[in-house]
Amino acid sequence: MNTPLRILHFSDIHVNIQIRHMHWKKWFSKRAIGAVNLLRGRAKYFDETEEKLAALLRFKEKNSIDIVINTGDYTALGLKSELILARQMLEPMMTPPQNYITVPGNHDIYVHEGNSHYRFSEQFCSVLQNDLPEYCRGGHWPLIRLVGDEAAVIAVNSARPNPLPWVSSGEIPPEQLKSLGDILKDERLQGRFLFVITHYAPRLSNGQDDKKLHGLINADEFLKTCSGIENGAILFGHIHKTYRLHVPEVKSELFCAGSATMEGHEGCWVYELEGQNMQARQVGWNGKEYCFTA
């Protein structure tokens, strides 16, 4: 009897270094506001991130997870030191590297410094392998990973620097959306269950659009591009709440991983795929370990 393909999807772990270790030059940017928010209490919600990631690794091994998907926001302020720390914490999850698939979040590319995207790619280059690189239209994106003969993961990047402190919106570049449309017509993906992943939520848990200054500004175009997918799911993070929903624009169900490590909100998903049949199981935190919820 064949066992189902098991995929772990988590997001928004928000690793952060102690603020006193941040170089003084980094305070002259949007990071100053972010750092103040951390000092005012936001950081305490992620105090146990390292311990929880170790517990998530134990959950992965216990439940024979085949593929790991992370939909971004590894960091709090997009500092190189944070990215290095996140990479070190998650190194065991990334073995073998072809079984780990990810996109950056807006906190990972927090401010425009000329090399913001490069810093993320530098730390996670080993897991940014692309099985169909001819479709790339912006750095590594879209990134396609073919999973056996039954599934494929398509990752598009919606994160971008937002210089203004009150803006945290995202956008999938038009050239990536066009490439995504072409990918969905490629015969090499026909008959596979398709997971399309990005960081930003195309819809909130109530089915409505996110706020203009916080959400995916071209969510409608993204969903329209995905509307032809017969068997698939759209995966994302950004919203620190684990939820799933159907929207009329697409046949695919939408899944938000929420935050795997935020105190009081810990959650993620496990998808079990047999042929074209996918079952989603929600995962929560009981104070000591991750476990499937009722």
Side-chain angles (χ1 to χ4, degrees):
M1 181 178 178
N2 293 330
T3 57
L5 178 74
R6 291 190 175 93
I7 299 172
L8 171 64
H9 170 211
F10 71 104
S11 195
D12 292 70
I13 61 173
H14 289 292
V15 167
N16 67 83
I17 62 168
Q18 293 185 4
I19 298 302
R20 66 176 180 270
H21 294 155
M22 190 168 81
H23 193 280
W24 66 269
K25 289 183 179 179
K26 302 296 184 182
W27 286 87
F28 293 96
S29 69
K30 178 182 177 179
R31 285 201 184 98
I33 303 299
V36 169
N37 285 336
L38 291 174
L39 290 170
R40 292 178 64 183
R42 187 177 189 274
K44 70 180 181 181
Y45 293 107
F46 297 93
D47 280 347
E48 298 179 356
T49 289
E50 186 171 3
E51 294 82 356
K52 289 173 183 176
L53 290 179
L56 191 60
L57 176 62
R58 294 194 296 271
F59 174 87
K60 171 185 178 289
E61 294 173 342
K62 177 181 177 181
N63 289 279
S64 302
I65 298 296
D66 301 296
I67 302 292
V68 176
I69 293 174
N70 186 309
T71 44
D73 270 1
Y74 289 85
T75 69
L77 299 174
L79 296 165
K80 182 177 180 178
S81 53
E82 290 176 317
L83 289 165
I84 291 173
L85 180 59
R87 171 68 196 236
Q88 291 171 345
M89 288 183 181
L90 289 171
E91 193 74 42
M93 288 269 196
M94 300 179 184
T95 304
Q98 64 269 24
N99 289 357
Y100 188 96
I101 307 159
T102 191
V103 291
N106 59 299
H107 280 262
D108 305 322
I109 308 173
Y110 200 57
V111 296
H112 182 71
E113 294 177 324
N115 61 348
S116 300
H117 285 85
Y118 172 77
R119 280 203 307 274
F120 178 84
S121 299
E122 180 185 30
Q123 297 306 318
F124 294 93
C125 59
S126 66
V127 296
L128 297 178
Q129 305 167 33
N130 198 332
D131 291 336
L132 301 178
E134 63 269 29
Y135 286 110
C136 287
R137 296 296 183 271
H140 298 276
W141 323 104
L143 185 152
I144 303 98
R145 197 72 56 81
L146 304 177
V147 183
D149 296 322
E150 57 186 322
V153 181
I154 307 167
V156 290
N157 179 26
S158 54
R160 61 181 185 177
N162 280 294
L164 299 176
W166 56 87
V167 179
S168 56
S169 61
E171 179 183 18
I172 300 171
E175 59 271 22
Q176 280 195 50
L177 277 183
K178 183 180 184 305
S179 186
L180 174 59
D182 294 337
I183 291 166
L184 297 177
K185 299 173 187 174
D186 193 304
E187 62 181 12
R188 290 169 288 185
L189 273 69
Q190 304 309 306
R192 295 175 181 265
F193 191 95
L194 302 180
F195 294 93
V196 180
I197 77 169
T198 195
H199 176 65
Y200 279 84
R203 294 289 185 268
L204 299 177
S205 60
N206 60 5
Q208 301 299 309
D209 294 334
D210 198 351
K211 296 176 182 177
K212 187 175 181 180
L213 298 181
H214 184 262
L216 181 63
I217 66 171
N218 57 347
D220 290 345
E221 291 87 344
F222 173 52
L223 292 176
K224 183 177 180 180
T225 303
C226 295
S227 62
I229 298 175
E230 292 293 335
N231 293 292
I234 298 172
L235 317 182
F236 48 91
H238 192 55
I239 308 298
H240 294 174
K241 176 183 179 181
T242 308
Y243 63 88
R244 64 191 293 182
L245 77 154
H246 289 279
V247 295
E249 296 93 331
V250 292
K251 301 170 186 174
S252 304
E253 196 168 4
L254 277 58
F255 292 89
C256 181
S259 170
T261 59
M262 183 177 182
E263 183 182 345
H265 294 264
E266 301 93 341
C268 53
W269 290 100
V270 168
Y271 311 111
E272 296 183 350
L273 183 65
E274 291 186 86
Q276 293 295 296
N277 298 314
M278 193 273 280
Q279 178 184 5
R281 304 180 67 187
Q282 188 170 341
V283 178
W285 174 253
N286 66 7
K288 295 182 179 180
E289 62 183 2
Y290 291 92
C291 52
F292 291 110
T293 61

